[in-house]
């Protein structure tokens, strides 16, 4: 079973530390098989404000030229998604050098490249391109109250540590986050 450390700390109301929790669970009979950090690749993905958008003037494909401001001043990029929000909307902007995921799930570094004759120095991303889910129906639309330039990795719950537990058949109580949190609370008093 995979357990989110962030969820555990929320349920516990305290942060005892990953190493302490791993040791306690293992000594308590729930073997921790793996500890994995996730979401750190989102440090180069920021909240950007849509300044303007217009159809691409020469492309035969339905592309949009979008001017965004990710906190360092506005610039234009090419977007193929159908759901670009109106000016003032917030989107996830992968800056050059950010890690994004291809259609087959392979990680790749984002580089400036021409798209239909316009050099795109960034990318507005769908959830699957950021490794946040399987949705590729359009770019990720964020809450309008988020400050532009904020790294997605700084948002609550975006960076986490996942614990993979080997739960034996007699430990049905450890098949939920709440059950594991109870176990941790009991082991650490």
């Amino acid at each position: 079973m995979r357990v989110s450390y962030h969820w555990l700390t929320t349920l516990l109301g305290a942060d005892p530390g990953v190493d302490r929790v791993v040791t306690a669970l293992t000594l308590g009979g729930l073997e921790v098989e793996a500890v994995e950090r996730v979401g750190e690749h989102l440090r180069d993905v920021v909240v950007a404000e849509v300044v303007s958008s217009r159809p691409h003037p020469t492309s035969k494909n339905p592309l949009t030229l979008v001017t965004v401001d990710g906190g360092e001043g506005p610039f234009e990029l090419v977007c193929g998604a159908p759901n670009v929000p109106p000016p003032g909307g917030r989107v996830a902007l992968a800056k050059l050098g950010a890690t994004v995921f291809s259609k087959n799930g392979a990680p790749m570094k984002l580089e400036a490249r021409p798209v239909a004759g316009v050099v795109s120095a960034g990318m507005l991303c769908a959830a699957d391109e950021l490794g946040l889910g399987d949705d590729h129906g359009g770019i990720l639309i964020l809450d309008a109250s988020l400050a532009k330039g904020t790294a997605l990795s700084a948002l609550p719950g975006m960076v986490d540590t996942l614990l993979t537990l080997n739960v034996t058949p007699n430990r049905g109580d450890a098949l939920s986050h709440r059950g594991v949190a109870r176990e941790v609370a009991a082991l650490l008093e």
Side-chain angles (χ1 to χ4, degrees):
M1 171 166 166
R2 296 182 83 182
V3 177
S4 161
Y5 183 75
H6 175 73
W7 284 15
L8 279 182
T9 59
T10 300
L11 290 167
L12 290 169
D15 185 353
V18 174
D19 293 336
R20 190 167 174 223
V21 168
V22 167
T23 301
L25 286 172
T26 301
L27 292 175
L30 287 173
E31 178 187 359
V32 179
E33 293 180 334
V35 178
E36 174 188 9
R37 290 283 294 169
V38 295
E40 291 182 344
H41 67 283
L42 297 173
R43 68 181 171 275
D44 293 325
V45 180
V46 298
V47 175
E49 178 182 1
V50 174
V51 176
S52 66
S53 65
R54 61 188 171 96
H56 193 291
T58 61
S59 175
K60 294 178 182 166
N61 297 322
L63 297 176
T64 306
L65 295 178
V66 183
T67 302
V68 296
D69 184 355
E72 299 173 356
F75 67 95
E76 191 171 66
L77 51 77
V78 179
C79 181
N83 66 329
V84 175
R90 299 291 197 264
V91 293
L93 168 67
K95 301 189 304 186
L96 295 180
T99 299
V100 294
F101 296 90
S102 66
K103 289 180 184 179
N104 65 3
M108 59 185 184
K109 292 281 183 192
L110 190 62
E111 301 173 353
R113 63 181 192 139
V115 178
V118 176
V119 176
S120 198
M123 178 178 170
L124 302 184
C125 299
D128 67 333
E129 294 165 331
L130 295 175
L132 298 175
D134 297 329
D135 185 17
H136 193 73
I139 58 175
L140 201 59
I141 307 295
L142 304 173
D143 190 296
S145 67
L146 294 173
K148 63 184 176 185
T150 303
L152 261 59
S153 62
L155 300 177
M158 295 301 278
V159 176
D160 199 357
T161 300
L162 297 180
L163 309 177
T164 303
L165 306 179
N166 181 6
V167 180
T168 56
N170 65 328
R171 292 300 309 268
D173 61 310
L175 290 175
S176 70
H177 277 78
R178 186 170 295 190
V180 174
R182 285 184 183 138
E183 184 74 11
V184 170
L187 291 168
L188 296 179
E189 300 177 4

